[in-house]
């Protein structure tokens, strides 16, 4: 860039050439001047404690302190709220755990009460610090996690118990029946010799409804030369039940039945001397005493004895 200077005091026009380095030098000098002036004013303000600058610095400090205080207050309030929520959650989990334990049949052990020394005095609440609040929150969070695991275990136990109760043959297969031959050795009613009776007999009029003793799947519903019209039900885990000498079969093989559902009618078919139901319970093919299972139900007391 060239600048031409023309003046009456000059005999001839003068030309000034401005190079880019000259412009950079001017800007650098200006920047240095501004920084020097700012540093000088700051030094004078601090050294001589000028009121305007001192008030400005005090205002900035107060604003910063207020921001820090608000931040801490909000955090403490949030932490206190979280602490209260966790404490309420622990109480709810304790109450729910006790109810589930009762339903599952597992009573939680009651801790022995520990004698405390005599104490007293006025109540002077001691507010928790941020660190103490965080520690208490962490502790209660761990307690909640432990309680949740315990409740999950109780829930599984309760579900297992309910399934087990539904699959155990505890329902009387015949209502309003008389108790006949028990499980064990007896004199065979036809051969007259000592023989093993692998079930129990229920005596009732012909046509009396027969129901499944528990939930299961029909694995056999057919005529047997000795058992007559017979139904076998698989209850799972190797547990089966058998219903023999029926006059009619109301189910077919492969069908699922529920405990108390009708499967046929009482009769006198097969190797039998009169109308009755022969009821068996087997575990892995081995005959068990059905009375041990029926006694776990609420209907066993209804059995009539002659």
């Amino acid at each position: 860039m060239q600048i031409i200077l023309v003046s009456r005091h000059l005999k001839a026009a003068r030309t000034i050439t401005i190079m880019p380095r000259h412009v950079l030098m001017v800007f650098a000098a200006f920047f240095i001047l501004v920084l020097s002036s700012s540093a000088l004013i700051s030094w004078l303000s601090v050294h001589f404690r000028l009121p305007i600058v001192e008030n400005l610095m005090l205002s900035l400090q107060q604003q910063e302190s207020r921001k820090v205080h608000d931040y801490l207050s909000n955090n403490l309030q949030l932490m206190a709220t979280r602490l209260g929520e966790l404490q309420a959650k622990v109480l709810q989990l304790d109450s729910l755990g006790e109810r589930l334990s009762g339903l599952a049949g597992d009573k939680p052990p009651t801790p022995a009460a520990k004698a405390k020394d005599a104490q007293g005095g006025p109540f002077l609440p001691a507010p928790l610090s941020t660190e103490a609040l965080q520690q208490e929150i962490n502790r209660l969070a761990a307690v909640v996690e432990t309680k949740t695991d315990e409740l999950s275990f109780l829930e599984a136990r309760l579900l297992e118990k309910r399934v087990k109760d539904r699959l155990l043959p505890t329902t009387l297969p015949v209502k309003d029946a008389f108790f006949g031959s028990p499980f064990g050795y007896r004199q065979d009613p036809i051969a007259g010799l000592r023989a093993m009776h692998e079930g129990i007999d229920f005596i009732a009029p012909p046509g009396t409804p027969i129901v499944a003793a528990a939930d299961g799947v029909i694995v056999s519903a057919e005529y047997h030369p000795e058992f007559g019209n017979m139904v076998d039900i698989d209850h799972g885990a190797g547990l089966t039940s058998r219903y023999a000498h029926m006059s009619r079969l109301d189910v077919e093989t492969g069908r699922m039945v529920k405990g108390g559902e009708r499967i046929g009618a009482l009769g006198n078919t097969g190797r039998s001397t009169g109308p009755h139901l022969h009821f068996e319970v087997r575990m892995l093919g081995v005959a068990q005493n059905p009375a041990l299972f029926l006694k776990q139900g609420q209907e066993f007391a209804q059995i009539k004895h002659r």
Side-chain angles (χ1 to χ4, degrees):
M1 177 185 295
Q2 292 182 348
I3 300 177
I4 301 175
L5 300 178
V6 179
S7 176
R8 61 185 179 180
H9 301 290
L10 298 175
K11 294 182 180 181
R14 296 186 60 181
T15 301
I16 300 176
T17 302
I18 300 177
M19 302 298 291
R21 66 176 181 273
H22 298 151
V23 178
L24 292 177
M25 292 175 62
V26 170
F27 276 109
F30 178 75
F31 185 70
I32 293 173
L33 180 61
V34 170
L35 288 179
S36 302
S37 301
S38 300
L40 179 62
I41 293 174
S42 300
W43 180 81
L44 292 174
S45 300
V46 174
H47 185 73
F48 295 101
R49 294 185 177 272
L50 297 181
I52 297 177
V53 178
E54 188 174 359
N55 291 337
L56 179 60
M57 294 180 63
L58 181 60
S59 176
L60 292 175
Q61 290 178 356
Q62 290 176 350
Q63 291 180 5
E64 188 66 24
S65 299
R66 191 159 45 248
K67 289 181 181 179
V68 173
H69 180 268
D70 293 342
Y71 175 78
L72 292 177
S73 298
N74 292 334
N75 276 356
L76 287 175
Q77 185 175 0
L78 291 175
M79 293 173 69
T81 303
R82 176 62 176 164
L83 181 62
E85 292 175 351
L86 287 174
Q87 290 174 340
K89 191 69 174 179
V90 169
L91 293 177
Q92 292 176 357
L93 290 176
D94 285 339
S95 178
L96 181 58
E98 292 179 0
R99 293 197 299 270
L100 284 178
S101 297
L103 291 175
D106 296 331
K107 295 295 183 181
T110 303
K114 184 179 180 180
K116 295 183 178 180
D117 296 333
Q119 298 177 352
F123 174 69
L124 299 176
L128 295 176
S129 63
T130 305
E131 293 78 9
L133 273 176
Q134 188 61 50
Q135 291 177 0
E136 185 65 12
I137 288 175
N138 294 338
R139 185 188 70 83
L140 288 178
V143 171
V144 169
E145 184 177 357
T146 302
K147 295 288 184 182
T148 302
D149 293 340
E150 293 176 356
L151 288 179
S152 299
F153 174 75
L154 285 176
E155 183 183 17
R157 288 290 303 275
L158 181 59
L159 181 60
E160 180 183 356
K161 181 177 183 297
R162 292 182 62 182
V163 172
K164 182 179 179 181
D165 290 344
R166 293 182 60 181
L167 297 180
L168 282 180
T170 58
T171 301
L172 281 180
V174 183
K175 314 298 181 185
D176 299 326
F178 288 95
F179 189 77
S181 295
F183 176 87
Y185 289 99
R186 68 172 182 178
Q187 184 178 0
D188 186 83
I190 296 178
L193 301 176
R194 187 172 184 268
M196 179 65 183
H197 186 227
E198 296 184 330
I200 57 177
D201 293 341
F202 294 94
I203 301 174
T208 302
I210 297 175
V211 300
D215 294 2
V217 179
I218 306 295
V219 293
S220 177
E222 58 187 4
Y223 183 84
H224 189 278
E226 295 182 341
F227 290 108
N229 290 325
M230 178 190 70
V231 171
D232 285 346
I233 301 179
D234 186 358
H235 304 290
L239 189 64
T240 61
S241 59
R242 172 169 292 179
Y243 312 78
H245 307 305
M246 293 192 289
S247 62
R248 186 179 69 254
L249 301 178
D250 294 334
V251 292
E252 61 277 353
T253 302
R255 176 181 167 184
M256 296 184 63
V257 293
K258 294 183 178 181
E261 182 177 349
R262 179 168 176 163
I263 59 175
L266 187 142
N268 184 27
T269 58
R271 191 172 183 271
S272 171
T273 60
H276 73 285
L277 171 69
H278 173 79
F279 176 64
E280 292 183 5
V281 174
R282 292 179 177 271
M283 173 61 72
L284 299 177
V286 179
Q288 309 292 321
N289 188 353
L292 299 178
F293 296 88
L294 296 177
K295 286 179 180 180
Q296 300 182 37
Q298 300 178 354
E299 302 174 332
F300 186 78
Q302 300 176 9
I303 299 179
K304 302 175 183 178
H305 295 267
R306 289 184 173 182

